[in-house]
Amino acid sequence: MEHNLDERKQKILKAIIQTYLETGEPVGSRTIAKYSDLKLSSATIRNEMSDLTDMGYIAQPHTSAGRIPSDKGYRYYVDAMMAEKNAQIAGKDLELAQKDSQLENAKKLMIEKTDKMEHLLQQVARVLAKDTNYATLISAPQYSGCRIKFIQLSRLHPLQLLAVVVAEGNQIKNEIIDLDEPMNDDTIFKLNFLLNNYLNGLQASEINLGMIAQLKEQAGVHSEVIADVLNAVGNLIQVDEEVKIYTSGATNIFKYPELSDSQKASEFIATFEEKQQLANLVKETMTDEENTGIQVYIGDEAPIQTMRDCSVVTATYELGDGIKGTIGIVGPKRMDYEHVVDSLKTLKDQLDDMFRKT
């Protein structure tokens, strides 16, 4: 989105948004005139505010002489903030942010075993909700688009083969294949060569019907073995349809008058309790290969209908080898974007560090 604002309009718009973020009340020209760095009269500010209103960056509630930011205004503010942060990172080495003591406590859980992961993610969601005063969600890491590393067929018994499929992230799937008749070592070797020649390095989405037909044709009378191995491959590297999501702080929305309408609030709470729409949000962020940083959805940009009066900020954390998950924060459109973005960036780094050390 292009923003054709001169420097003075930029400063006034920023002042209006920052004031509204703090107060939640429509902002008047007198309030903006108090900003020492502007040094403009109330009359000049009123004229500029009128222009900003005509351009769609701010709106005037019917009951007030003040202005509030529009979705377009918030989008300008967030884009400018993100650009500034990216410039700061590019201009110097990224320093480690001061970590909140509560986040440090979460880090000490150290997920040495898989059964501790649920506890960790629940704790992270709670800490993030308490830290931001918004609703939060986090999905368990999933294998998305990971590739086949190796396939090995070996004899268990004269009429049984063991198929071992290894994928990125050290995922392993074992499949026992029953045979109608014994298979000699030379045939097993040829099938291993055939499978690895065709499938090594591929994602599940890259295995098409034509490739399967060629594999079966070259396997001849042993085409059923190929079919069984492909089933094992599919079971191993497909994206899990069951997305585990941990949430916290949904009732924080009652702290913000613009979100506390009884019907809207009940629909919002239901979304966080049922989680299906949250799962769809997570799947959307995971399947978008470019969506690996911080994403900010404002108002109607929100991918969930019950959040169209909110802002949704998500981050995709990646643990390598196609393993990733989503962290999300949902709050009013006047949320503290800078604090939310900084919290998500820090948490991304911490999750990456925790998972990689286990």
Side-chain angles (χ1 to χ4, degrees), residues 8 154 181 315-316 341 352:
R8 188 159 71 182
S154 57
E181 59 183 32
T316 300
V341 168
D352 180 76

Side-chain angles (χ1 to χ4, degrees), residues 93-132:
D93 292 335
L94 181 61
E95 298 178 358
L96 292 176
Q98 182 66 36
K99 297 175 182 176
D100 185 274
S101 60
Q102 292 175 315
L103 289 175
E104 277 295 297
N105 290 335
K107 186 172 181 179
K108 291 177 182 178
L109 294 173
M110 290 306 295
I111 50 169
E112 297 175 359
K113 297 181 180 179
T114 303
D115 60 0
K116 291 185 180 180
M117 186 182 302
E118 180 176 356
H119 185 197
L120 172 72
L121 296 178
Q122 288 173 336
Q123 178 72 359
V124 167
R126 285 194 294 268
V127 167
L128 199 55
K130 185 176 181 180
D131 178 58
T132 62

